[in-house]
Amino acid sequence: MSLILVICGPAGVGKTTVCDRLLEKFGDQLTRVITTTTRKPRLGEKEGQDYFFTTVKEFKDLLGKNAFLEHELIHGNYYGTRKENVFGEIRKLQNILINIDVKGARNLPKEILKIRDFNVNIVSVFLKPSNLEVLKKRLFQRASDSKVDIEARLQTAKKELSIAENFDHIIISKDKESDYISVEKIYLRYLKSKG
């Protein structure tokens, strides 16, 4: 059985930091599914490690081939999770880590569970900022988005927060260390129950 750990939450809440630490510690037993996107790489991001960066045309070609489990248009850029990346790991009985947006997290389990011969346990975690002011501050500190982009991300965050209760676990974000420890405990608990 594969354990699929889905990490979700508004932009700037710290999902990537938590995921990076999980992979540092459990990389021998946990594989990250890399998202495909049409957005430009941020400083330090690497092709095939952080994202698969692609053009809109290439993304739409993949859509036409039904290559994605889920996809979304977010703030003018496409993001998608490729079937081949997830299904290949499930077939190897590998545990999987997916860092994804809220809409994608809602659609992903439905699509995976359509494949009846897959034996999986999907666990979703929502990282929730204590309030929108804290999130706004984090987005400005990240210094990778314009003021207009940050305002758009905050509007999206309001919508995302309204459906947080649909996730298996909600973690109120405090700081990087406590957020990581909370997610690690969830991962280890499900890992133990797995086997």
Side-chain angles (χ1 to χ4, degrees):
M1 176 191 289
S2 288
L3 171 62
I4 301 176
L5 183 62
V6 179
I7 307 291
C8 199
V13 78
K15 302 181 298 291
T16 301
T17 301
V18 166
C19 290
D20 287 347
R21 284 197 58 192
L22 280 170
L23 291 167
E24 272 177 40
K25 187 164 182 180
F26 301 105
D28 59 330
Q29 58 181 261
L30 187 63
T31 298
R32 177 175 177 235
V33 170
I34 299 168
T35 300
T36 299
T37 184
T38 59
R39 83 158 167 76
K40 299 289 181 226
R42 292 187 181 123
L43 188 64
E45 287 182 333
K46 294 181 181 144
E47 169 69 20
Q49 182 179 324
D50 298 292
Y51 287 94
F52 293 115
F53 296 100
T54 188
T55 65
V56 172
K57 183 189 179 314
E58 289 167 334
F59 195 97
K60 288 185 175 178
D61 287 347
L62 288 167
L63 269 178
K65 295 174 184 171
N66 198 25
F68 294 106
L69 268 175
E70 62 78 34
H71 70 280
E72 294 296 335
L73 179 63
I74 304 167
H75 306 298
N77 295 299
Y78 287 100
Y79 293 82
T81 305
R82 289 192 202 178
K83 290 179 182 179
E84 66 185 47
N85 296 352
V86 176
F87 293 170
E89 298 305 323
I90 293 172
R91 288 188 183 98
K92 292 189 280 187
L93 302 179
Q94 179 67 33
N95 296 321
I96 302 167
L97 176 65
I98 301 177
N99 174 351
I100 197 170
D101 73 281
V102 172
K103 287 182 189 172
R106 291 171 72 188
N107 295 332
L108 191 85
K110 293 178 220 164
E111 293 301 315
I112 291 172
L113 295 173
K114 282 182 184 176
I115 312 297
R116 302 223 183 276
D117 62 334
F118 284 166
N119 187 9
V120 296
N121 184 9
I122 303 170
V123 178
S124 59
V125 178
F126 189 94
L127 272 177
K128 184 177 182 180
S130 53
N131 61 60
L132 286 174
E133 279 306 309
V134 168
L135 188 63
K136 186 176 185 176
K137 184 178 175 186
R138 286 184 184 181
L139 286 167
F140 274 108
Q141 286 173 340
R142 190 163 76 171
S144 62
D145 300 304
S146 70
K147 194 170 182 179
V148 172
D149 289 339
I150 288 171
E151 287 305 321
R153 290 181 188 280
L154 289 170
Q155 291 306 310
T156 300
K158 287 178 188 174
K159 294 175 194 162
E160 291 172 336
L161 294 172
S162 70
I163 55 173
E165 68 277 355
N166 295 323
F167 289 76
D168 298 320
H169 302 273
I170 298 173
I171 295 170
I172 306 297
S173 178
K174 295 177 184 140
D175 56 63
K176 290 178 183 180
E177 187 62 23
S178 59
D179 292 355
Y180 170 74
I181 289 168
S182 297
V183 175
E184 183 188 85
K185 283 180 184 172
I186 291 167
Y187 172 64
L188 290 173
R189 187 170 84 218
Y190 282 95
L191 197 62
K192 188 176 178 184
S193 69
K194 176 187 157 185

